Amino acid sequence: MIEYVKGELAELTPAVAVVDCNGVGYAVNISLNTYSAIQGKTSCKLYIYEAIREDAHVLYGFVSKQERELFLLLISVSGIGGNTARTILSALSPAELVNVISTENVTMLKTVKGIGLKTAQRVIVDLKDKIRTGATSVESGMTVPVGNSAVLEEAVAALTMLGFAAAPSQKVVMAILKDDPQAPVESVIKQAFKRL
C-alpha cells in the first residue's frame, strides 16, 4: 500500500500529475481541488489511494488526507467508482461536500456531472451518518447553522436559475450566512450578486 508520493512535479494537467520520485515517474489521477493546490509548484506530496484491478493499477492522489478520506467514503457507496468520486471532489471542495451531505442537499449534489437523483440520494443516505459521527476528520470551517439550510438551498437554487454556476454560488452563500446567520433569502441573493 502506497501512503504518499513526494517528489518533483514532472508534468501537470487538471486530471493527472506526474510525480518524479528518484527517477521513477508516478502518474497520479487528481481532482481539480488538488490541481489548484499544487499548480505552479515544482515539487509536491500527494496522499495516495491505489486501485488495483485485473487490467490496471491506478493511483489517485490528494493534496490532503481529508480529501482522500472523503474519496474513500464516496467509493464505498454502491455505484460510485474512482472516476465518479474524483469528479465529485473536482466539483465540490471537501468542505462543500461535507456541508452538502450533512445538510442533505440533493439538488447541489445533482449538479455534479454524471450524478443523477438516485445516486445523489444514495450518497447522502449512505454517508450522512458517517460524516455527522465524525468518521471523517474533515474540518469544514464553513458549516451553516441547521436553521439556515433552507435559506442556503433557496438562495443557491435562485442563483443557479439566474445562470450562476452551482458550486461557486453555494460557496458565496455559505460565506454570507457565516457572516450573517439571520439574513433573509432576498438579502443573501443580493449580497451574492455583488460577490459573484
Side-chain angles (χ1 to χ4, degrees):
M1 176 72 186
I2 300 171
E3 175 64 17
Y4 64 83
V5 293
K6 183 179 180 181
E8 192 180 311
L9 203 48
E11 290 174 36
L12 181 65
T13 69
V16 178
V18 177
V19 183
D20 183 329
C21 301
N22 298 322
V24 178
Y26 292 94
V28 182
N29 292 294
I30 57 172
S31 69
L32 285 175
N33 285 314
T34 295
Y35 172 74
S36 300
I38 63 175
Q39 191 178 15
K41 295 187 177 177
T42 54
S43 63
C44 69
K45 176 180 181 179
L46 296 175
Y47 293 94
I48 298 295
Y49 169 74
E50 189 177 9
I52 300 173
R53 300 193 304 254
E54 280 181 28
D55 58 342
H57 286 231
V58 183
L59 300 179
Y60 292 95
F62 309 93
V63 78
S64 68
K65 284 185 175 182
Q66 289 87 354
E67 190 179 11
R68 180 175 65 180
E69 223 168 286
L70 279 171
F71 177 85
L72 293 172
L73 285 173
L74 285 168
I75 61 173
S76 73
V77 176
S78 170
I80 292 193
N83 283 331
T84 306
R86 182 174 67 155
T87 304
I88 293 170
L89 287 167
S90 291
L92 302 165
S93 73
E96 289 170 331
L97 182 58
V98 167
N99 198 61
V100 163
I101 293 169
S102 59
T103 59
E104 300 182 32
N105 191 342
V106 175
T107 315
M108 187 68 186
L109 205 49
K110 271 184 9 195
T111 63
V112 177
K113 186 178 183 287
I115 300 293
L117 177 63
K118 285 188 175 165
T119 307
Q121 289 171 333
R122 197 178 311 122
V123 167
I124 287 170
V125 167
D126 287 6
L127 301 184
K128 68 180 178 191
D129 291 335
K130 292 177 184 173
I131 298 261
R132 282 193 186 132
T133 56
T136 174
S137 59
V138 173
E139 293 296 320
S140 114
M142 275 215 127
T143 51
V144 174
V146 179
N148 285 351
S149 58
V151 174
L152 171 76
E153 278 182 47
E154 209 173 313
V156 172
L159 291 165
T160 50
M161 277 190 273
L162 292 166
F164 293 100
S169 297
Q170 182 169 25
K171 206 178 236 178
V172 167
V173 170
M174 284 167 62
I176 292 165
L177 287 173
K178 191 177 178 191
D179 295 341
D180 183 6
Q182 304 305 316
V185 177
E186 305 80 41
S187 166
V188 170
I189 294 169
K190 283 178 187 169
Q191 288 181 60
F193 277 146
K194 294 174 189 165
R195 298 192 197 184
L196 285 167

